[in-house]
């Protein structure tokens, strides 16, 4: 009886766990069994492995082969275990280097002709292997660039099963095969849009720059054609570039979603789901494999919900916990996945279904009940989690004629945002936070930088008369600190509180 062992990785969300793939050869009726809590796709691996080996010219042992995936209590999904199962099964009889097998993680789906097909989630799987101390990984050729993003990892981007077997010392002639997926072009990075192209919306542009500087959530309300979408799509271009950890996390989420990853994108991600998106499309999920939704894909960047009043109420309310916690946990029978959800939310909505309510010269045909129902889609708890509420008006002829006046450019806005974030990071250096939007309310109200009573008097008055909740009180303080950072001040002034109150409630200080 011979036993061979190697490694693969099981993913639950972005978390990966090493799985020991051990194959046992016994003198019983020829059979091929896979045990260790495999799902349907993994349970069918024996047929793919059998045909791939046969068509590659290497024979599986003609005895009973039992493949165990350990730990047995951990659910395993998908065809990404095919390569590890094939290598372990062949090693029970073929002369493969056992030390090489024990030092290598194998990821990839086998085609019936022996070629390796790409699988989703290679980057988080390789990251999990690196954290466990493994320094060698064999992946399909189409996933090679993705695996090479992990520093210190020796990567074999194999075209076929034979190439992997040769890597482990088997004396077999390789075949010249066309790599699967090698001809697929990489997605080009989205262009950075110019902020100066926004005309006649100086207050809104200033508010967007403030939102970028502090990481604040924004709600823009106004008629069609006022420039809400233009403003939202220019927000990622003025945000600071992602650091290594954030870029790896964003790339891991894209990989797990099935998107090709060939480089680390430094520009923050931008997700804009259609208003017909379901709760599952926003949150993520799946009946078999838990996949990230738009919320997780936007982590580190911007989640833009255009026509927010057209979204289902349940879909919008699903944002409440991620906005508060910064993570999203998806529970399924037998599995639980946690995804990052640290994003900036930007909502854009019309004032009514026809878009003309309250617009000068507009002719609104919506009944009052329809307007109330439309605006009611944005529930009180959601609006309470919004830091900045903008009323965006259409550009007038006078503004258009004054468009020759140069507005702030994307480069200038990025510089202002970077300077403000640097000032905030210095103030927060002894805390776990780095942006104003992350700071806890208790620290803002009672910490070393708490504003004196005279400065916070307008805020206390708004809380006393019920215009603000305590959560809203804290959010106004966060925006006020960002306003001070943009002005280069190291302490709050009453003007900062007044501006933050105006951006939150349209109110002016007493």
């Amino acid at each position: 009886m011979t036993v061979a062992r190697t490694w693969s990785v099981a993913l639950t969300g972005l978390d990966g766990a090493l799985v020991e793939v051990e194959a046992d050869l016994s003198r019983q009726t020829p059979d091929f069994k896979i045990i260790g809590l495999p799902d349907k796709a993994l349970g069918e691996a024996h047929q793919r492995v059998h045909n791939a080996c046969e068509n590659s010219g290497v024979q599986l042992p003609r005895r009973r082969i039992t493949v165990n995936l350990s730990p047995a209590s951990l659910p395993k999904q998908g065809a990404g275990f095919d390569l590890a199962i094939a290598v372990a099964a062949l090693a029970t009889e073929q002369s493969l280097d056992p030390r090489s097998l024990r030092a290598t993680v194998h990821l990839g789906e086998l085609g019936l002709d022996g070629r390796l097909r790409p699988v989703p989630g290679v980057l988080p799987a390789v990251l999990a292997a690196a954290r466990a101390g493994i320094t060698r990984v064999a992946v399909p050729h189409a996933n090679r660039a993705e695996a090479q993003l992990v520093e210190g990892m020796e990567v074999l981007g194999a075209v076929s099963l034979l190439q992997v077997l040769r890597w482990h010392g088997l004396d077999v002639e390789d075949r010249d095969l066309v790599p699967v997926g090698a001809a697929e072009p990489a997605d080009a990075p989205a262009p950075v849009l110019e902020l100066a192209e926004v005309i006649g919306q100086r207050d809104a542009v200033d508010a967007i720059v403030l939102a970028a500087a502090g990481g604040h959530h924004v709600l823009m309300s106004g008629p069609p054609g006022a420039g809400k979408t233009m403003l939202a799509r220019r927000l990622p271009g003025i945000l600071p570039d992602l650091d290594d950890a954030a870029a790896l996390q964003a790339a891991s989420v894209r990989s797990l979603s099935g998107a090709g990853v060939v480089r680390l994108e430094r520009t923050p991600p931008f997700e804009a789901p259609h208003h017909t998106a379901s709760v599952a499309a926003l949150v993520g999920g799946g009946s078999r494999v838990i996949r990230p939704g738009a919320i997780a894909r936007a982590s580190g960047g911007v989640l833009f919900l255009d026509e927010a009043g057209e979204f289902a109420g349940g879909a919008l309310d699903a944002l409440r916990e991620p906005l508060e916690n910064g993570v999203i946990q998806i529970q399924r029978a037998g599995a639980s996945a946690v995804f990052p959800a640290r994003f900036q939310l930007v909502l854009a909505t019309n004032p009514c279904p026809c878009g003309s309510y309250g617009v000068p010269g507009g002719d609104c045909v919506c009944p009052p009940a329809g307007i109330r129902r439309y605006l009611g889609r944005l529930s009180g708890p959601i609006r309470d989690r919004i830091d900045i509420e903008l009323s965006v008006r259409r550009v007038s002829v006078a503004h258009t004629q004054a468009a020759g006046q140069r507005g702030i450019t994307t480069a200038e806005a990025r510089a202002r945002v970077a300077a403000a974030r640097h000032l905030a990071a210095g103030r927060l250096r002894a805390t776990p936070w780095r942006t104003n939007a992350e700071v806890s309310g208790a620290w803002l109200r009672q910490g070393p930088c708490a504003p004196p009573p005279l400065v916070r008097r307008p805020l206390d008055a708004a809380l006393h008369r019920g215009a603000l909740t305590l959560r809203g009180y804290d959010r106004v303080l966060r925006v006020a600190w960002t306003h001070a950072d943009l002005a280069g001040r190291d302490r709050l002034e009453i003007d900062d509180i007044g501006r933050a109150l105006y951006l939150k409630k349209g109110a002016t200080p007493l």
Side-chain angles (χ1 to χ4, degrees):
M1 183 171 65
T2 305
V3 178
R5 295 180 175 88
T6 190
W7 298 99
S8 192
V9 175
L11 288 174
T12 305
L14 288 185
D15 297 326
L18 277 184
V19 172
E20 187 176 40
V21 181
E22 51 183 358
D24 172 66
L25 188 63
S26 57
R27 297 182 181 277
Q28 298 180 31
T29 305
D31 198 1
F32 197 120
K33 293 289 186 182
I34 299 175
I35 59 177
L37 211 58
D39 70 344
K40 179 68 172 177
L42 183 49
E44 295 172 346
H46 69 92
Q47 194 61 56
R48 292 191 296 273
V49 169
H50 181 274
N51 287 67
C53 292
E54 184 74 24
N55 292 324
S56 298
V58 288
Q59 296 289 331
L60 283 172
R62 297 187 179 277
R63 286 181 283 173
R64 178 183 288 271
I65 302 174
T66 302
V67 176
N68 181 43
L69 308 176
S70 178
S73 60
L74 180 69
K76 295 99 181 169
Q77 301 94 13
F81 290 85
D82 286 3
L83 179 59
I85 291 173
V87 169
L90 288 169
T92 58
E93 193 171 68
Q94 303 286 348
S95 57
L96 298 178
D97 184 356
R99 289 178 299 177
S100 178
L101 294 179
R102 292 285 295 171
T104 306
V105 163
H106 298 84
L107 304 166
E109 177 185 348
L110 283 174
L112 298 184
D113 57 356
R115 292 187 298 173
L116 292 182
R117 300 181 179 276
V119 292
V122 164
L123 180 55
V126 176
L127 283 170
R131 286 193 292 266
I134 303 292
T135 59
R136 286 162 49 98
V137 60
V139 300
H141 183 272
N143 295 126
R144 180 179 59 181
E146 183 177 339
Q148 288 174 337
L149 295 175
V150 181
E151 294 184 0
M153 186 66 67
E154 181 185 354
V155 178
L156 171 65
V159 175
S160 65
L161 172 62
L162 288 175
Q163 193 173 347
V164 178
L165 297 177
R166 286 172 57 86
W167 199 39
H168 291 306
L170 185 63
D171 185 14
V172 61
E173 183 178 353
D174 200 0
R175 298 177 181 178
D176 187 15
L177 299 173
V178 178
V180 176
E184 295 181 4
D187 294 335
V192 176
L193 302 176
E194 178 54 58
L195 188 61
E197 294 175 355
V198 180
I199 296 173
Q201 298 289 2
R202 184 57 186 268
D203 288 344
V205 169
D206 289 344
I208 286 294
V209 173
L210 188 145
H216 303 294
H217 308 307
V218 182
L219 167 62
M220 293 183 285
S221 177
K228 303 186 295 295
T229 302
M230 284 187 68
L231 286 164
R233 292 192 176 277
R234 281 151 180 78
L235 179 56
I238 64 177
L239 291 173
D241 287 342
L242 300 177
D243 59 20
D244 290 343
L248 267 176
Q249 185 183 77
S252 297
V253 173
R254 292 202 308 274
S255 172
L256 201 59
S257 302
V261 176
V262 296
R263 67 180 73 85
L264 287 183
E265 297 291 348
R266 300 293 178 173
T267 301
F270 182 84
E271 288 289 324
H274 193 261
H275 66 262
T276 58
S278 64
V279 174
L282 288 176
V283 172
S287 58
R288 184 172 57 88
V289 180
I290 301 177
R291 297 294 186 205
I295 289 175
R297 295 196 301 271
S299 189
V302 178
L303 177 64
F304 176 46
L305 302 186
D306 202 1
E307 304 294 344
E310 300 291 344
F311 277 80
L316 292 175
D317 284 337
L319 299 170
R320 288 157 58 175
E321 289 85 355
L323 287 174
E324 201 71 21
N325 302 327
V327 296
I328 184 164
Q329 186 169 15
I330 302 174
Q331 301 280 354
R332 293 292 183 270
S336 175
V338 178
F339 294 107
R342 188 70 66 181
F343 58 90
Q344 272 188 261
L345 177 64
V346 179
L347 301 172
T349 185
N350 294 329
C352 68
C354 77
S356 298
Y357 178 68
V359 178
D363 184 17
C364 179
V365 297
C366 303
I371 297 174
R372 288 196 300 269
R373 185 165 53 249
Y374 184 81
L375 297 179
R377 298 281 181 85
L378 295 174
S379 64
I382 283 291
R383 297 190 74 139
D384 202 32
R385 288 167 169 82
I386 300 297
D387 303 320
I388 299 172
E389 298 187 21
L390 293 175
S391 179
V392 185
R393 298 180 178 272
R394 284 178 179 159
V395 178
S396 67
V397 175
H399 284 146
T400 304
Q401 292 172 347
Q405 299 177 359
R406 178 175 171 272
I408 184 172
T409 65
T410 295
E412 292 169 344
R414 277 177 64 90
R416 291 192 64 198
V417 169
R421 289 211 175 195
H422 179 73
L423 195 60
R427 182 175 63 255
L428 302 172
R429 61 183 176 274
T431 72
W433 313 294
R434 288 298 173 264
T435 62
N436 291 323
E438 301 171 357
V439 181
S440 75
W443 192 90
L444 288 169
R445 288 179 266 109
Q446 304 167 10
C449 296
L454 181 63
V455 172
R456 68 169 188 264
R457 185 176 61 184
L459 203 50
D460 292 336
L463 181 66
H464 178 72
R465 66 176 182 264
L468 284 175
T469 64
L470 188 58
R471 180 190 285 123
Y473 184 104
D474 295 338
R475 291 193 176 277
V476 171
L477 275 178
R478 294 182 184 115
V479 174
W481 269 114
T482 303
H483 190 265
D485 290 337
L486 284 170
R489 292 191 292 269
D490 60 357
R491 64 184 64 189
L492 284 184
E493 296 182 0
I494 196 167
D495 289 343
D496 301 319
I497 297 290
R499 180 60 177 168
L501 268 174
Y502 177 77
L503 290 173
K504 175 63 177 175
K505 290 292 185 180
T508 55
L510 298 177

